[in-house]
Amino acid sequence: MNKIYKKNEVTFAVLCIVIYVIGTSVGEALAQMIGIVKLPSMIFHLLFTGVLLIWLKKHDLFEKYGLVKPEYKLSNAWFFIPLMLMGFSSIFFGVTLKYSVPETFFYIIGMLCVGFLEEIIFRGFLFVGMAKKNVKTAIIVSSVTFGIGHIVNLIGGKDVLETVLQIVFACAVGFVLVALFYKGKSLIPCIVFHGINNACSAISDEEASLRVFGSVEKELVTSVTLAIVICIVYAVVIWKKMECPEKTNIVNEG
């Protein structure tokens, strides 16, 4: 693992993406076979999270990949309001227990781990590795691959339209998160948002939101369109207004 990383960080990131996609896909397939929502995938996500955290700690890479306390001024705290609103958006119309209590627990824990894994892989390993040569290319590749990675949801039973819209949404959010990481030098806010956004889907009241929008298609198109507009404006503001601490340079560090 360490040999691959030292040889080429981007190759290491791609390897992590492959492991993550295969592990998640197998986990979801096993969950359908045994009839227990998210249990196998949660186990995989927990194990993979543990392995990466131990490896990062062992090689003193927490600061390089933004696993440090944000150093933003208090006046910059408002930057996170739009992010958190998007994170909790799926429960705006109410909450409900869609699964059994144990399955809900498996779902939430698994999704919190997914938040960490996807951020450290796409915004951490992949972006930082590519940004050393070309920041603009790194931003685009990190955002697009993050979006396309959500195609694994088809294996989990999601329909095509929902998956396509989720991919588009993920690309837009991915751009916001990579901008936030690049300008702020901390991955923690991105991980927190990502984990919350994923975990809320376990308790979102889809029937309540359906009554508001009238149809699943209308709900998806409306919510994704609104989210993309918010993401574009948010990313531009972050890029222009957020101060960049001088202490850590995620692009030039070795």
Side-chain angles (χ1 to χ4, degrees):
M1 186 174 181
N2 198 45
K3 289 182 179 179
I4 297 174
Y5 175 78
K6 287 184 176 179
K7 186 175 182 180
N8 191 303
E9 290 180 40
V10 176
T11 300
F12 177 79
V14 172
L15 176 62
C16 286
I17 291 172
V18 171
I19 293 172
Y20 172 71
V21 170
I22 292 176
T24 300
S25 300
V26 171
E28 292 298 328
L30 287 173
Q32 291 183 359
M33 289 175 58
I34 66 177
I36 303 178
V37 173
K38 297 295 181 182
L39 177 58
S41 55
M42 179 204 70
I43 293 172
F44 165 70
H45 293 144
L46 274 173
L47 290 174
F48 199 17
T49 295
V51 168
L52 289 181
L53 281 173
I54 292 171
W55 180 79
L56 287 164
K57 183 67 175 178
K58 179 180 179 181
H59 297 284
D60 197 25
L61 295 172
F62 272 32
E63 186 172 4
K64 178 177 181 178
Y65 293 113
L67 297 179
V68 293
K69 180 182 177 181
E71 297 183 6
Y72 312 115
K73 296 179 180 179
L74 186 60
S75 59
N76 282 341
W78 67 270
F79 277 126
F80 304 111
I81 295 175
L83 198 65
M84 288 301 103
L85 286 176
M86 285 193 292
F88 287 105
S89 62
S90 63
I91 60 172
F92 281 173
F93 299 104
V95 298
T96 186
L97 198 63
K98 296 187 289 189
Y99 311 104
S100 67
V101 173
E103 287 176 326
T104 301
F105 175 78
F106 300 151
Y107 197 122
I108 291 175
I109 295 300
M111 289 300 98
L112 291 175
C113 289
V114 165
F116 167 78
L117 289 170
E118 293 188 353
E119 289 307 310
I120 196 64
I121 292 173
F122 291 99
R123 245 69 63 192
F125 302 147
L126 184 60
F127 171 70
V128 173
M130 294 188 69
K132 292 178 179 179
K133 293 184 178 180
N134 191 306
V135 173
K136 291 182 179 179
T137 299
I139 289 172
I140 294 171
V141 172
S142 173
S143 303
V144 173
T145 53
F146 172 63
I148 294 175
H150 287 74
I151 199 169
V152 297
N153 290 332
L154 287 172
I155 300 173
K158 302 288 186 181
D159 68 33
V160 176
L161 176 63
E162 184 176 356
T163 301
V164 169
L165 290 175
Q166 188 172 28
I167 288 172
V168 174
F169 170 69
C171 287
V173 171
F175 181 73
V176 169
L177 296 177
V178 77
L180 188 63
F181 176 41
Y182 179 67
K183 297 293 286 186
K185 304 299 182 285
S186 175
L187 199 61
I188 301 300
C190 304
I191 293 171
V192 172
F193 157 77
H194 203 147
I196 289 174
N197 184 65
N198 287 348
C200 282
S201 62
I203 56 173
S204 61
D205 191 338
E206 295 171 357
E207 292 185 2
S209 60
L210 185 59
R211 288 194 293 271
V212 173
F213 290 98
S215 69
V216 174
E217 291 77 12
K218 187 176 180 180
E219 176 189 0
L220 288 171
V221 172
T222 302
S223 59
V224 170
T225 301
L226 180 60
I228 290 174
V229 172
I230 293 173
C231 285
I232 292 173
V233 175
Y234 189 34
V236 170
V237 172
I238 289 172
W239 201 264
K240 289 184 176 181
K241 300 294 184 180
M242 178 171 276
E243 294 182 8
C244 182
E246 298 295 333
K247 183 179 179 180
T248 308
N249 191 324
I250 62 172
V251 174
N252 296 323
E253 276 193 353

